[in-house]
Amino acid sequence: MSAVDARQDDSVSEESAMSTSLKSDFSSQACNILAELREQGELCDAVIRVGDVVFPIHRNILSACSSFFRALFTSQVGENPTNQHEITLTHVNSDIMSVIIDYAYTRHAKVTAANVEQLLPAADQFHFMGLVKDCCDFLITELCADNCIGIRKFAQTYFCTHLEQQALKYILVNFTSVYTTSNEFLQLDIDEVCDILQSEHLNVRTEELVFDALCRWIDYSPDRRKRNIARLLRTIRLGLLTTSFFVEKVKPHEYVRDSEQCRPIIIETLRFLYELDMDDRREVDMSNPIARPRIPHEVMFVIGGWSGGAPTNMVETYDTRADRWVVCPVADTGPRAYHGMITMGHIIYVIGGFDGVEYFNSCRTFDPINKMWAEAPPMNCKRCYVSVALLDGHIYAMGGFDGHVRQNSVERFTRETNQWSLIRPMHHQRSDASATTLNGKVYICGGFNGQECLNSAEYYCPDTGQWTLITSMNNRRSGVGVIAYNDCIYALGGFNGVTRMNTGERFCPRTRQWVDIPEMYSPRSNFATEIIDDMLFAIGGFNGVTTIFNVECYDSNADEWYDATDMSLYRSALSACVVKGLPNVQDYIYQNRVFPNADNSTTVDPSPNSATTNSG
């Protein structure tokens, strides 16, 4: 392209932008003038009466945004319109009509919790579809556990499809809060309860919660509802319950015990669970409907790391419902290890790191919806062994190693400006540390300063722009995993200068003390940590002898560690993040499920990219 062509293109772009701006200014100015004319009663050609209140209006203005009023006014043209100067409307109050008429002139309406239940039906009645959308958008922002079921029914009444879908999504994603706190849940009929409980997208950590929910629903009116127990029981994935819970809680429950229709369900489930218990190595048969995992709302991504003496670019995802890892064919063009990862919205940021030769200040982004990798703005400094955290929409990158020195510098990425800016440095040089956020502060713990492993920890407060040292950890930890979990800061594993550790400790900001927690099964350093399903996961790492692929998770309520399924690849120096609410979540989960079709037949959806073997 020549310079002249480029200038012409720039000129066209400027003219287009100016035209758009002028149109917007003209439209806004015209609306203001018309609204002013109406308020002064000038050029008005009709009056709308609601009770004792009259509203002078311009017919063409209301006709422009309402097919109801257009039909009303144009149909009267041949019927001596002078006699129809005054239009009387019923089934609407004057306050609501005032909002509707204001909207017709300004395209803005003050939708509130106090008026939306009357405003939406009236806007629907008079075919102000833009106002209906505004009401729906407002109700979406108001969704909570107490009102989501009622809002869904409200949306169904007025055929507001998008609002209905969003309300249902809220119910399914936040189901535990909904069924434990909402009185609206208790008012549902049997068909509505079953539709929710059997949904593939019901977001429950365990199927025990589904049994608890259906019992709560029956308990509200047991004499009338307990006859539905067999139908309700089939909404539970009974094969995913533990044998002890099924035998001790489900089978002897009075609603189940007293139902003849439940007996074949109990026999089928007992057979399935006992056969599974007889062979510890036997895989769960996910083709059996009673053991088909639900579709998770959250997916954990693990990217990169060090494996087999070299960095890798492999991407794996963890399906928490199926307890399976899936190798995804979406790897970046180049490998990297000792990097950081952050999720912002649906976008994954991969920050800094090392490829075996080069220390990176570069950053990459991965869009899991479009499955596209892209270059992001580079940091000011090269950072291998970097610590990263997300707070209030800003990404923080702290410390690290640039190939020459361990750093105490810190920089922050702002998405609006799309750039990194250096902020106040930490008190200590730290590489191979780890960071997290809690209560509006960025915490960083441990690391290596070039001479020794560190047990110090500090936090950054954006409001003051200051770093503050906190109580030191009980152990020196480099290659540590640090994460906020249930209002505490957890520091796990790492290298103390002598050995890799399996110990862990947590810091309570209220008491300002570190307290030991139960030991992990495996010692590990340079591993990934994440929270998913309210469980703290420790993933991969180096155990002092070899790179590992072992995964375990900690439940703070039980104060206990549990084994999870191993990754597909041995790797350390990896990083993990969780992405919520992906519209294409099925591209990243274990697909060997059987889904029911509309004709009650079944479809097996085998995953073409799921890995069933482990590689070193």
Side-chain angles (χ1 to χ4, degrees):
M1 179 185 292
S2 69
V4 173
D5 292 336
R7 285 197 296 272
Q8 288 176 340
D9 281 354
D10 289 343
S11 177
V12 170
S13 298
E14 289 174 5
E15 289 176 2
S16 177
M18 186 178 296
S19 175
T20 301
S21 176
L22 288 173
K23 287 177 182 177
S24 176
D25 290 343
F26 176 77
S27 177
S28 176
Q29 184 180 7
C31 285
N32 290 335
I33 291 173
L34 291 167
E36 185 179 325
L37 288 171
R38 180 180 71 84
E39 289 173 2
Q40 295 175 356
E42 297 181 357
L43 304 180
C44 295
D45 57 1
V47 169
I48 291 177
R49 175 178 293 277
V50 179
D52 296 330
V53 182
V54 294
F55 299 93
I57 55 96
H58 304 89
R59 297 179 185 225
N60 57 344
I61 300 301
L62 266 65
S63 298
C65 58
S66 164
S67 59
F68 174 90
F69 282 105
R70 181 177 180 180
L72 180 67
F73 293 142
T74 57
S75 66
Q76 296 168 357
V77 170
E79 302 176 6
N80 191 9
T82 56
N83 296 330
Q84 298 296 327
H85 177 75
E86 181 174 294
I87 307 296
T88 300
L89 297 177
T90 57
H91 307 298
V92 62
N93 69 48
S94 58
D95 290 338
I96 295 299
M97 199 66 222
S98 177
V99 175
I100 291 174
I101 293 174
D102 283 343
Y103 178 84
Y105 281 82
T106 66
R107 296 300 191 270
H108 296 290
K110 188 176 181 181
V111 184
T112 67
N115 70 15
V116 67
E117 287 189 49
Q118 291 180 292
L119 185 58
L120 191 152
D124 179 69
Q125 176 188 350
F126 299 127
H127 297 182
F128 281 79
M129 304 321 295
L131 183 53
V132 170
K133 181 180 182 302
D134 286 353
C135 290
C136 290
D137 290 345
F138 173 80
L139 287 170
I140 289 171
T141 66
E142 294 289 298
L143 284 168
C144 68
D146 289 334
N147 68 19
C148 55
I149 292 174
I151 288 177
R152 184 190 180 207
K153 288 189 173 184
F154 188 65
Q156 289 171 328
T157 300
Y158 295 101
F159 304 100
C160 300
T161 305
H162 180 63
L163 176 59
E164 180 188 353
Q165 291 171 343
Q166 292 302 306
L168 177 59
K169 180 180 178 181
Y170 189 95
I171 294 167
L172 296 176
V173 170
N174 303 280
F175 180 69
T176 302
S177 297
V178 171
Y179 92 79
T180 54
T181 65
S182 170
N183 287 327
E184 292 179 344
F185 174 76
L186 302 176
Q187 308 296 328
L188 293 172
D189 63 37
I190 180 62
D191 292 332
E192 293 169 326
V193 171
C194 287
D195 284 345
I196 292 171
L197 297 187
Q198 68 193 9
S199 171
E200 298 291 340
H201 294 275
L202 189 68
N203 185 33
V204 285
R205 179 174 160 185
T206 69
E207 293 296 314
E208 296 174 9
L209 295 172
V210 186
F211 181 71
D212 186 51
L214 68 84
C215 287
R216 184 171 188 263
W217 182 81
I218 294 175
D219 287 343
Y220 184 72
S221 181
D223 292 340
R224 184 165 53 91
R225 293 179 172 180
K226 63 183 179 181
R227 66 176 182 270
N228 297 303
I229 182 61
R231 182 179 174 187
L232 289 164
L233 208 57
R234 290 197 179 278
T235 66
I236 308 175
R237 313 296 163 93
L238 295 167
L240 300 180
L241 294 172
T242 63
T243 302
S244 60
F245 182 86
F246 183 78
V247 171
E248 296 170 13
K249 302 292 186 181
V250 179
K251 181 174 176 287
H253 193 283
E254 60 176 309
Y255 297 150
V256 178
R257 185 189 62 225
D258 297 341
S259 171
E260 286 290 331
Q261 294 174 307
C262 286
R263 290 190 179 182
I265 302 174
I266 298 301
I267 293 170
E268 176 190 8
T269 305
L270 284 173
R271 183 183 298 115
F272 181 90
L273 293 174
Y274 284 147
E275 288 177 356
L276 198 61
D277 288 345
M278 291 295 291
D279 185 355
D280 292 339
R281 295 171 297 179
R282 181 176 176 177
E283 291 280 336
V284 175
D285 180 11
M286 295 183 190
S287 65
N288 190 324
I290 70 171
R292 183 177 65 250
R294 299 182 194 264
I295 296 172
H297 174 64
E298 303 174 320
V299 175
M300 181 158 59
F301 283 74
V302 168
I303 299 177
W306 201 268
S307 180
T312 178
N313 61 353
M314 180 185 280
V315 177
E316 285 185 79
T317 54
Y318 178 68
D319 180 345
T320 181
R321 296 290 173 261
D323 188 25
R324 294 290 186 275
W325 289 90
V326 178
V327 177
C328 301
V330 292
D332 198 2
T333 52
R336 68 175 70 201
Y338 301 104
H339 53 288
M341 271 171 55
I342 290 293
T343 305
M344 196 182 298
H346 287 150
I347 304 298
I348 297 171
Y349 286 76
V350 180
I351 301 158
F354 179 61
D355 68 356
V357 176
E358 182 181 355
Y359 296 86
F360 295 134
N361 68 336
S362 65
C363 303
R364 301 278 289 169
T365 61
F366 177 64
D367 177 353
I369 297 176
N370 297 306
K371 301 180 182 177
M372 297 289 292
W373 285 91
E375 198 71 23
M379 295 180 289
N380 294 283
C381 305
K382 295 182 178 181
R383 300 183 189 274
C384 171
Y385 306 108
V386 65
S387 303
V388 298
L390 178 69
L391 180 63
D392 295 334
H394 298 282
I395 300 174
Y396 290 77
M398 296 154 273
F401 181 59
D402 64 4
H404 302 287
V405 297
R406 267 77 186 178
Q407 301 178 66
N408 67 341
S409 66
V410 181
E411 47 192 305
R412 179 170 59 193
F413 176 76
T414 304
R415 185 162 51 178
E416 288 73 22
T417 61
N418 201 36
Q419 65 182 15
W420 292 90
S421 303
L422 287 165
I423 62 173
R424 185 180 292 272
M426 298 177 289
H427 289 286
H428 293 282
Q429 295 171 296
R430 300 179 190 272
S431 69
D432 224 4
S434 188
T436 189
T437 58
L438 181 65
N439 299 332
K441 299 179 177 65
V442 179
Y443 286 81
I444 187 168
C445 307
F448 182 65
N449 64 8
Q451 286 80 40
E452 61 180 353
C453 299
L454 304 173
N455 65 348
S456 63
E458 52 189 304
Y459 69 79
Y460 177 77
C461 178
D463 293 337
T464 63
Q466 299 289 330
W467 285 94
T468 303
L469 288 166
I470 63 173
T471 308
S472 294
M473 296 182 291
N474 298 326
N475 298 275
R476 297 179 183 273
R477 299 180 187 272
S478 178
V480 59
V482 173
I483 195 161
Y485 178 45
N486 288 344
D487 297 321
C488 290
I489 305 295
Y490 282 72
L492 310 172
F495 179 60
N496 62 6
V498 179
T499 185
R500 267 73 189 179
M501 299 182 291
N502 65 345
T503 61
E505 50 190 298
R506 65 170 169 247
F507 175 78
C508 175
R510 182 174 50 83
T511 64
R512 301 180 184 179
Q513 297 296 317
W514 289 93
V515 177
D516 290 341
I517 67 168
E519 295 178 349
M520 295 183 288
Y521 293 119
S522 301
R524 59 181 87 213
S525 65
N526 297 106
F527 57 103
T529 56
E530 253 303 348
I531 305 295
I532 189 168
D533 258 353
D534 199 32
M535 301 276 277
L536 193 167
F537 278 75
I539 307 150
F542 182 69
N543 67 5
V545 178
T546 184
T547 302
I548 60 177
F549 58 10
N550 307 107
V551 181
E552 51 190 299
C553 55
Y554 174 75
D555 182 345
S556 65
N557 294 321
D559 198 25
E560 189 174 348
W561 287 93
Y562 304 95
D563 274 322
T565 299
D566 298 333
M567 288 185 295
S568 304
L569 182 71
Y570 295 84
R571 51 175 149 178
S572 66
L574 67 164
S575 201
C577 64
V578 171
V579 183
K580 300 180 180 181
L582 282 174
N584 59 333
V585 64
Q586 288 183 251
D587 293 344
Y588 299 100
I589 63 176
Y590 187 75
Q591 294 292 336
N592 196 16
R593 294 161 159 91
V594 176
F595 295 101
N597 296 323
D599 60 359
N600 293 323
S601 63
T602 56
T603 297
V604 180
D605 190 2
S607 172
N609 56 358
S610 63
T612 56
T613 59
N614 295 318
S615 57

